[in-house]
């Protein structure tokens, strides 16, 4: 009898704990696919292979370390371009460290995004990507992002990324609103690129 009462008491306490669990605590117990389905898929799609939606990046096969770094940059406010502030800042406030890791791992392990058809400017873009622009001190993008633009670690994958998004980011590096701790190199690179060179290289990358 005593034991039954104790068990009952235990169940009651546990029940109370579960009912009274904050939204934050409930969020903390979700698995990666659950977080993605409740908080990310509306914009990035579940597998991160969203069709061209202008300023929304594809996350499929993006490098895990890079994704984690960006989520932290949204959280600490150092990535401060307008779409980042409007769309990503509120979302990352609700993510714990382990959820940042979980969602990054999820998107990194999805199949690569489907390439977009190349535009007429893509061949000029390929030249810039592989060899840089000698006259204006632009280094070969491939030296950091890799020959196939798959990236590595903090260097993002650019292959198959939405071209409008890529172009926007190059402009944000140039104006300095994207100013997270790994952005210094790109701020320099973007300063030396013209708008039409940015456009060409973005078009090429989206076709890979
Ligand atoms: C309401 C739309 C929306 C939702 C929901 C959303 N995002 Fe985003 N996300 C964006 C936009 C827009 C950007 C581009 C921000 C910019 O231009 O700086 C972005 C950028 C990112 C980036 C940077 C990608 C890169 O290549 O640098 C990551 C990583 C990211 N989101 C992860 C997530 C995760 C994880 C979730 C869910 C927990 C999520 N997002 C939910 C709209 C959204
Ligand atoms: C010396 C190394 C280096 C070179 C050269 C370089 N990049 Fe980058 N790139 C980086 C790093 C590091 C980041 C991540 C910056 C951050 O976290 O804010 C980055 C980020 C980017 C992004 C943002 C991607 C995203 O998903 O938001 C774009 C676009 C980009 N680079 C394009 C280029 C292009 C185009 C060139 C050549 C003209 C180039 N990069 C040359 C190191 C480099």
């Amino acid at each position: 009898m005593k034991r039954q009462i104790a068990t009952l008491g235990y169940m009651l306490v546990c029940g109370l704990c579960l009912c009274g669990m904050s939204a934050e605590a409930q969020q903390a117990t979700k698995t990666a696919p659950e977080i993605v389905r409740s908080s990310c898929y509306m914009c990035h799609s579940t597998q991160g292979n969203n069709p061209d939606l202008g300023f929304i990046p594809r996350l499929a096969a993006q490098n895990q370390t890079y994704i984690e770094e960006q989520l932290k940059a949204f959280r600490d406010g150092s990535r401060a371009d307008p779409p980042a502030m409007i769309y990503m800042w509120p979302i990352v406030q609700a993510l714990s460290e382990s959820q940042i890791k979980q969602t990054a791992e999820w998107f990194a392990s999805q199949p690569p995004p489907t390439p977009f058809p190349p535009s007429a400017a893509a061949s000029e873009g390929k030249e810039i990507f592989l060899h840089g622009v000698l006259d204006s001190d632009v280094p070969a993008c491939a030296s950091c992002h890799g020959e196939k633009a798959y990236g590595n670690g903090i260097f993002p994958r650019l292959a198959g990324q939405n071209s409008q998004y890529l172009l926007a980011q190059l402009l944000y590096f140039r104006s300095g609103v994207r100013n997270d701790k790994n952005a210094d190199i790109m701020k320099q690179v973007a300063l030396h690129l013209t708008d039409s060179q940015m456009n060409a290289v973005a078009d090429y990358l989206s076709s890979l």
Side-chain angles (χ1 to χ4, degrees), residues 34-183:
E34 283 168 346
I35 305 165
V36 168
R37 275 197 294 269
S38 65
S39 311
C40 320
Y41 96 99
M42 307 80 93
C43 296
H44 295 287
S45 81
T46 319
Q47 293 196 298
N49 189 12
N50 42 303
D52 198 349
L53 288 177
F55 54 90
I56 300 178
R58 291 169 146 190
L59 303 176
Q62 184 53 277
N63 299 302
Q64 185 179 340
T65 308
Y66 172 76
I67 297 181
E68 287 178 24
E69 291 286 309
Q70 296 313 305
L71 292 173
K72 289 174 188 165
F74 292 128
R75 192 174 60 187
D76 70 23
S78 57
R79 184 166 168 181
D81 53 273
M85 294 168 79
I86 297 166
Y87 297 99
M88 286 305 298
W89 282 20
I91 289 161
V92 291
Q93 296 313 325
L95 296 179
S96 66
E97 289 297 320
S98 82
Q99 289 174 334
I100 286 183
K101 216 172 160 43
Q102 275 176 287
T103 48
E105 209 172 1
W106 168 267
F107 283 116
S109 59
Q110 299 307 311
T114 327
F116 294 103
S119 73
S123 58
E124 182 198 346
K126 181 176 184 178
E127 194 55 31
I128 298 171
F129 185 79
L130 293 177
H131 307 295
V133 188
L134 266 181
D135 301 345
S136 41
D137 283 338
V138 174
C141 320
S143 64
C144 291
H145 292 281
E147 291 276 309
K148 294 186 172 168
Y150 293 169
N152 186 21
I154 64 161
F155 303 106
R157 176 194 177 95
L158 304 173
Q161 187 55 280
N162 175 342
S163 63
Q164 273 188 59
Y165 167 80
L166 291 173
L167 175 61
Q169 298 311 306
L170 291 169
L171 294 167
Y172 296 144
F173 284 124
R174 189 165 71 190
S175 72
V177 283
R178 184 164 168 180
N179 193 26
D180 54 84
K181 66 180 165 61
N182 300 325

